[in-house]
Amino acid sequence: GGGGGGGTLDSTSARPALDAGLTSEQARVARKLRVKVTAPAVKEMLKPMYATRHISKDVFKAAAEAATAELADSIDPGEMTEEDVHAAVQRALAPLGFQLPD
């Protein structure tokens, strides 16, 4: 199931509530930290697919980047669950024509 393409978020105008009250500099630093925490979790989830040659290095990188960006923009790593990571990775893989194996 699950249809519908995600619209691209205009990250400049709509800063996530996550960074509400921060200066743009603080927000940038905060996001950087979230990326740092999020990226390994995302890659961990994609690794098995890459290891089995299910996806190429390019797809791995593109999906990892997209999922990491989505998570970093929308969720506090302290509250991030494996389900959040899974969902973001699925959404990142879908436009590339792949999906996470169950």
Side-chain angles (χ1 to χ4, degrees):
T8 53
L9 288 172
D10 179 7
S11 53
T12 46
S13 65
R15 273 234 316 279
L18 219 50
D19 295 330
L22 298 184
T23 66
S24 56
E25 182 56 34
Q26 288 172 321
R28 193 158 60 233
V29 171
R31 187 179 186 279
K32 239 187 203 149
L33 286 171
R34 292 198 297 273
V35 167
K36 216 174 183 170
V37 175
T38 308
V42 167
K43 285 182 175 154
E44 222 28 64
M45 196 156 283
L46 281 163
K47 251 183 208 157
M49 289 179 78
Y50 179 54
T52 57
R53 300 265 184 270
H54 188 74
I55 56 175
S56 67
K57 189 174 191 175
D58 288 346
V59 170
F60 176 86
K61 276 174 71 172
E65 225 162 84
T68 299
E70 182 191 322
L71 288 164
D73 282 341
S74 62
I75 201 157
D76 183 320
E79 295 168 13
M80 188 174 68
T81 65
E82 198 164 319
E83 272 166 32
D84 294 321
V85 180
H86 193 279
V89 171
Q90 281 285 40
R91 281 194 290 274
L93 283 170
L96 300 168
F98 297 95
Q99 57 177 23
L100 281 169
D102 286 330

